Each structure stands twice: as structure tokens, then as C-alpha cells.
């Protein structure tokens, strides 16, 4: 959880610093509570400023959400792109590189995942459309990874790849939710845990696992 100074909004704090404090608090509120349940009043109270000041700096609640979303979306999208780049010899499999990159990108602000994957955004709003852009871009990368993985396993059915893409999003969401509840776990520890879980999954699905 992000800890903010109780006097963050007192006179003399530079505007840039105060804006960073607001964005940190707002990102956590949106991620923990969801867009619908988050209020400007709650964010202002956390930072120690007034609602009019937040409106002066960021505009409406949707404007503030977008100010939180864009850096989160860019950070996660760039992390996935970098992880899917051509690996060095001996590098971890792509799915583990992607998970490691996501955990690293979210470290220190884990609730940010749920800013992007927020089911309470008003339909057809600018907020929903912008979040959908980032989710779509990440899904496109996941689709490429899913198709490559299934091709390696001998499957060429496009519906298999589509199903795996959606399963991957759900898996990432579940892992981040678990991670939030275990704050002592580092990104490296989470990546190693995932490697063990995937290895166990492969053994369960193997003929030897069926006979066990």
C-alpha cells in the first residue's frame, strides 16, 4: 500500500510533487475500489487536499482516472513488448518472461493492474475506450504468444489460441490478486513460483502424471 504524507496538501508543497501524490493515491483507490466506487472526496482526504484543488489540477473524476490509466497502460504494454522481444540464448520461456516483466512493472503499485482491468467503467465513456485500447494491445501480444505456444505443441486450431488468450488474461489477474494479498513476495519470487506451478501443471497433464 502506498503511504502518503498526512500534510501532503499543505501550503508550500510544489505543484508537481502534489500531483504525484494525488496520482499515487488515485491509482491505488481506483485499483482497490474500482472506478464506480471511487470518489474524489476519498482521494482528496488521503492526500490531505480539498476536492476543489483536485478538480483544479485534474478536472473531473474521469480526467483523473485517465491521468492514472495512461502511465499504467504504457508501463504494462511496454513491459510485455520488451519481454516478447527476441530472447537471448538460454532465456526463460516467453510466458515466464512476460509474467516476470508484469510483476516488475507493477512492483510498488500492484493495484494498478485493476485500474486497467476495471469492470465498473461507464460503458462507451472515454475512460472505457482508453482502457479497452490498452487491453486490446496487450491481448494482441497475448494472441501472438498463445499461437506460438500452441504451434510448438502441435496445435493449429485458431480457437485454441483464442481460448488460451482469454485464459491467460484471467490467470494474470488471479496471480496479481494473490500477489496483492502477499506483499512480502517479490517479483522474482513470484516468477519462480509461476515456473514451479507451470512445471507441476505439465506433469499433471502428462501420461506419467495420469498414472500417479
Amino acid at each position: 500500500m502506498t503511504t502518503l504524507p498526512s500534510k501532503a496538501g499543505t501550503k508550500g508543497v510544489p505543484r508537481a510533487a502534489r500531483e504525484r501524490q494525488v496520482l499515487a493515491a488515485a491509482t491505488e483507490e481506483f485499483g482497490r475500489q474500482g472506478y464506480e466506487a471511487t470518489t474524489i472526496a476519498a482521494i482528496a482526504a488521503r492526500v490531505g487536499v480539498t476536492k476543489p484543488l483536485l478538480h483544479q489540477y485534474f478536472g473531473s473524476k474521469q480526467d483523473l482516472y485517465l491521468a492514472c490509466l495512461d502511465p499504467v497502460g504504457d508501463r504494462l504494454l511496454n513491459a510485455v513488448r520488451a519481454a516478447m522481444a527476441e530472447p537471448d540464448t538460454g532465456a526463460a520461456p516467453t510466458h515466464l518472461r512476460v509474467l516476470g516483466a508484469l510483476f516488475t512493472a507493477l512492483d510498488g503499485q500492484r493495484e494498478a493492474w485493476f485500474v486497467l482491468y476495471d469492470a465498473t467503467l461507464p460503458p462507451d465513456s472515454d475512460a472505457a475506450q482508453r482502457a479497452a485500447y490498452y487491453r486490446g494491445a496487450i491481448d494482441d501480444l497475448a494472441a501472438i504468444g498463445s499461437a506460438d505456444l500452441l504451434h510448438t505443441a502441435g496445435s493449429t486450431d485458431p480457437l485454441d489460441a483464442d481460448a488460451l488468450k482469454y485464459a491467460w488474461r484471467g490467470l494474470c489477474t488471479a496471480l496479481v490478486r494473490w500477489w496483492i494479498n502477499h506483499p512480502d513476495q517479490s517479483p522474482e519470487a513470484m516468477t519462480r513460483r509461476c515456473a514451479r506451478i507451470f512445471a507441476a501443471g505439465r506433469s499433471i497433464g502428462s501420461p506419467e502424471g495420469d498414472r500417479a
Side-chain angles (χ1 to χ4, degrees):
M1 174 180 284
T2 304
T3 302
L4 297 169
S6 59
K7 300 297 184 181
T10 55
K11 187 176 181 180
V13 177
R15 174 165 178 162
R18 188 174 285 131
E19 287 180 348
R20 287 194 295 271
Q21 292 165 350
V22 171
L23 289 174
T27 297
E28 186 168 328
E29 286 291 316
F30 285 127
R32 290 169 64 95
Q33 307 299 332
Y35 181 89
E36 185 176 358
T38 296
T39 66
I40 292 294
I43 297 169
R46 285 197 55 182
V47 182
V49 298
T50 63
K51 287 173 57 179
L53 184 65
L54 258 65
H55 286 301
Q56 176 187 339
Y57 282 3
F58 293 99
S60 66
K61 183 170 89 167
Q62 178 171 249
D63 293 331
L64 178 54
Y65 167 83
L66 290 170
C68 296
L69 172 66
D70 281 339
V72 169
D74 288 340
R75 189 163 73 244
L76 294 178
L77 183 55
N78 289 336
V80 175
R81 283 174 174 159
M84 291 185 65
E86 190 68 27
D88 295 329
T89 302
T94 302
H95 58 283
L96 288 178
R97 296 201 312 273
V98 169
L99 284 172
L102 289 175
F103 294 139
T104 299
L106 290 167
D107 196 30
Q109 204 175 43
R110 300 178 187 187
E111 292 86 356
W113 176 267
F114 297 100
V115 174
L116 180 56
Y117 292 93
D118 187 343
T120 73
L121 294 172
D124 300 322
S125 65
D126 290 345
Q129 291 174 12
R130 187 64 175 167
Y133 160 76
Y134 283 114
R135 292 196 300 266
I138 292 173
D139 278 351
D140 288 345
L141 293 173
I144 294 171
S146 297
D148 288 347
L149 178 63
L150 290 170
H151 181 75
T152 301
S155 172
T156 58
D157 188 332
L159 289 180
D160 286 355
D162 190 57
L164 181 57
K165 177 186 71 175
Y166 282 94
W168 175 257
R169 181 198 287 186
L171 174 64
C172 290
T173 297
L175 288 169
V176 172
R177 195 179 300 279
W178 186 90
W179 191 33
I180 288 172
N181 293 326
H182 296 79
D184 60 313
Q185 297 293 299
S186 68
E188 295 76 17
M190 282 297 298
T191 306
R192 291 194 297 269
R193 189 176 306 282
C194 289
R196 294 194 297 271
I197 292 171
F198 292 149
R202 287 194 297 272
S203 67
I204 291 172
S206 67
E208 291 76 9
D210 292 339
R211 291 194 294 268

